[in-house]
Amino acid sequence: MPPESVRYRLTRRQRLLTAVPAIVVMAFQVLFWLDGGPFGPVLVSLLMWAVLLPVAPITARYFGVTLTPSAAVVHNLRRRTIPWSNVQAVQIEHLLGSRTVVIYEAGGRRTRLRAPITGFLSWDRSFEEKFHTIGRWWLYHRGPDWAPAPPPRPQWGGPPASDGNPYAPPA
């Protein structure tokens, strides 16, 4: 019997990596102070970063996707529910050296999932397995009355849509 729902979040290492930019900024500020810069603004800035530093990994903990029999619930800054019957494709896209899962909807909207994700520093060993699980959930739960939507009309006089799958990656 399949599970009631599946939840994918960022890995622990990926959550910790969200704090790296703040640590780098703090290090540059300390170096600026050690080089003879004024201490007052540096102290205020360091205190601000010391308060904000733990916030990044804590908030990143909630990013991800929950797969339910009726929909994919995307957890970003705002929670969004995408019914399986509205999904046209689930694919992997490359962005700046990382790979993410993207959900394509019938209206042409793309939703890039925050998790699962894999990249150079934030490697996820089970990324492929998670991607295939999301795809299987869509195929299994989209319903018998699901039909592919017509391709979105090209905007601004762009090239006409091909006769094949409009959501397929370019050749």
Side-chain angles (χ1 to χ4, degrees):
M1 185 167 154
E4 189 68 27
S5 67
V6 174
R7 170 98 192 231
Y8 291 126
R9 298 187 212 171
L10 295 174
T11 64
R12 181 174 295 184
R13 183 177 187 186
Q14 290 170 333
R15 287 193 313 263
L16 290 175
L17 283 173
T18 59
V20 169
I23 293 170
V24 169
V25 168
M26 288 175 65
F28 277 115
Q29 290 173 336
V30 168
L31 290 174
F32 173 73
W33 173 69
L34 290 175
D35 195 36
F39 183 67
V42 171
L43 179 63
V44 170
S45 183
L46 285 175
L47 288 175
M48 178 191 70
W49 282 109
V51 169
L52 293 177
L53 186 62
V55 172
I58 291 171
T59 57
R61 178 178 187 203
Y62 299 104
F63 292 152
V65 63
T66 302
L67 309 176
T68 66
S70 61
V73 182
V74 180
H75 305 277
N76 283 335
L77 294 175
R78 295 182 321 174
R79 186 175 134 173
R80 197 162 151 259
T81 303
I82 304 171
W84 290 121
S85 59
N86 195 28
V87 175
Q88 293 295 305
V90 177
Q91 295 181 345
I92 295 175
E93 284 191 4
H94 300 269
L95 178 69
L96 300 173
S98 65
R99 297 185 315 155
T100 60
V101 177
V102 179
I103 295 177
Y104 289 88
E105 297 179 51
R109 184 173 183 174
R110 277 179 43 227
T111 303
R112 184 181 303 273
L113 303 181
R114 297 285 300 262
I117 187 170
T118 190
F120 174 64
L121 292 175
S122 60
W123 190 256
D124 185 357
R125 292 182 188 154
S126 58
F127 175 79
E128 293 288 333
E129 178 185 335
K130 292 174 183 177
F131 163 69
H132 288 296
T133 301
I134 294 169
R136 283 193 306 267
W137 270 74
W138 166 58
L139 291 173
Y140 183 75
H141 295 289
R142 66 185 181 185
D145 57 346
W146 178 87
R153 295 188 55 111
Q155 297 179 359
W156 304 297
S162 67
D163 293 333
N165 183 357
Y167 301 101

